[in-house]
Amino acid sequence: MSYQVFARKYRPQAFDEVLGQDHVAATLRNAIEGGRLAHAYLFSGPRGVGKTTMARILAKAVNCLASPGADPCGACDACKGIAAGSDVDVLELDAASRRKVEDIEPLLDATRYLPQRSPRKVFIVDEAHMLSKHAWNSMLKTLEEPPPHVLFVFCTTEPERVIETVRSRCQCFDFRRIGPADIVAKLRRIAGAEGVAVDDEVLAEIADRATGGMRDAESLLDQLLAAAPAGGPLTADDLAAALGDTPRERRLELLTHARDGRMPEMLDAAAALVDAGASPADLLRDLYEDLHDAAVAAARGGEGALGIEWCLAAAEVVARHVQLAERSRAPRPTLDLALLSVSRLGDVADLEEIAESLERLAGEAPPSPAPRRGGAGAAAPAPARDPGPPSKPDVRGSWRQLRQRDGGPAKKDGLEEGGRGPENEPRPAAPRGLSGEEYARIRGHPRVKEVLSRFGGRIEQVRRTRDGEELR
């Protein structure tokens, strides 16, 4: 017998063997036992999570000749024929290659005939979203009022492409991605059945790469066993060599050079990885995943030499360049430019530290001058309000009254103090230019000098407000 890949050799044959889809298996089992089986089902979800497998198990459960319950025996002729794909009463259609009305007509004609030996005639349509709209419309009447011996099961990764009138005639089930722990457990069973020792680190890496798809994980393990040398446990180095990946340690070394601003060493490390066969776009994607892992580890309290804030800033730069590298005809310059941009990020200050610095600056501000007393008819000062809970510091509030604290005039351009004209109508603040003397005075203010030197900023605009002048 020819070699059979793991995805087929270890395919689940019962409801309990399908990982991560307990909600679907329990509903179908209860429907069969309670006699409430629908005439059409739509299974949707990511690739490799058990949609077609569940459809075949459902076909065996309703056509099993030996088991009276919902679980098929797996030993009768009907169960063996369905598992092998040769049963005459279970027909599978690949909608990716047979998507026209002419391809659907033989299936609809077959629904009129009774099954030859089984209670039900089951039609499994895989990649159902590939059917044309006209093909779907030709099935509407049959789906709405099918013969009592017919059962339809549609499997798709894109349920939104199935027309609404079809979805309303089916019971829809969403298949979930399989958890890493379940994938690792099954891969360990497969490795044990094959008599091969595999490190847990390798199984965890395979499960992570599979992104919730059991078929992808089984294919990766199959490829690893075929490429790795015989004898001894399979390690992470064997996995990297089999898949042609860049070693994680060398990528972390590259990121460390970028974090410390060592551009020559960083570029040399990147060049070595590309010369070894790494694709620039794939390398950028791997670096993005490494930054994600480092940021998550730091957020959970683990050791993170790169720093969470730097990882977040670097990840934004790398993500933009990943798309450029995928579309570019010269991805190598895109990789170098991305790394140079990341290396120039320098020390990224934590937001909490910035807020604390601003609070200290705001606390050092001198008190605002008391309002001028008017004549006999001047209004009494308003009672002090309860400040309430402390709020975030207003960065601009420390600078707004610079002109008044420096002895500037209280009236100008016909405006009374408080920004109101003779008719007591509010006027919007307007941008105003600066003379050389005014610019020198504002820039020489101690607080402005401290803020500009601390954050490396510059004065962009000066606006007149009620309280004086506002810098930005």
Side-chain angles (χ1 to χ4, degrees), residues 416-427:
E416 302 289 342
E417 185 176 10
R420 296 180 179 272
E423 295 80 16
N424 204 26
E425 292 293 333
R427 297 183 182 179

Side-chain angles (χ1 to χ4, degrees), residues 69 124 186 223 291 362 401-402:
I124 300 175
K186 183 170 184 181
Q223 181 179 350
L291 290 168
Q401 299 184 8
L402 294 178

Side-chain angles (χ1 to χ4, degrees), residues 422-438:
E423 295 80 16
N424 204 26
E425 292 293 333
R427 297 183 182 179
R432 118 189 214 284
L434 288 177
S435 65
E437 180 182 355
E438 289 175 320

Side-chain angles (χ1 to χ4, degrees), residues 111 117 131 138 155 162 168 183 228 234 250 268 271 433 452-453 471:
T111 61
R117 65 176 181 183
L131 287 176
S138 67
C155 304
V162 179
S168 65
I183 294 178
L234 301 179
R250 297 180 65 182
D268 291 342
L452 293 180
S453 62
L471 305 185

Side-chain angles (χ1 to χ4, degrees), residues 212-413:
M214 192 67 239
R215 184 174 63 233
D216 290 3
E218 292 169 338
S219 299
L220 288 173
L221 180 61
D222 208 349
Q223 181 179 350
L224 174 61
L225 296 185
L234 301 179
T235 63
D237 293 336
D238 297 327
L239 178 63
L243 301 181
D245 289 344
T246 56
R248 180 181 177 85
E249 293 77 10
R250 297 180 65 182
R251 298 198 306 267
L252 292 178
E253 180 183 357
L254 187 154
L255 289 175
T256 302
H257 291 322
R259 173 67 177 82
D260 297 337
R262 298 192 293 267
M263 297 185 187
E265 293 85 349
M266 175 196 67
L267 294 175
D268 291 342
L273 293 175
V274 173
D275 293 341
S279 166
D282 292 339
L283 180 56
L284 284 172
R285 279 191 289 267
D286 291 339
L287 292 176
Y288 185 82
E289 293 180 2
D290 294 336
L291 290 168
H292 162 267
D293 296 340
V296 171
R300 291 178 174 174
E303 296 182 0
L306 298 177
I308 183 172
E309 296 296 335
W310 187 87
C311 288
L312 295 177
E316 292 183 5
V317 176
V318 172
R320 292 196 302 268
H321 286 82
V322 166
Q323 301 176 0
L324 294 176
E326 292 173 345
R327 298 193 302 264
S328 175
R329 290 179 293 180
R332 176 62 185 276
T334 304
L335 171 64
D336 292 339
L337 292 174
L339 294 176
L340 290 173
S341 299
V342 169
S343 66
R344 291 181 61 84
L345 289 175
D347 292 331
V348 180
D350 187 88
L351 294 179
E352 295 295 334
E353 297 177 0
I354 296 176
E356 291 176 2
S357 300
L358 293 177
E359 284 182 350
R360 287 196 298 269
L361 292 177
E364 295 171 1
S368 302
R372 299 186 214 176
R373 298 183 179 275
R385 293 185 178 180
D386 183 11
S391 59
K392 294 183 179 179
D394 184 359
V395 180
R396 299 174 301 183
S398 302
W399 310 329
R400 282 180 173 170
Q401 299 184 8
L402 294 178
R403 187 174 182 83
Q404 290 185 2
R405 285 202 297 269
D406 291 344
K411 297 182 181 181
K412 190 167 184 180
D413 299 333

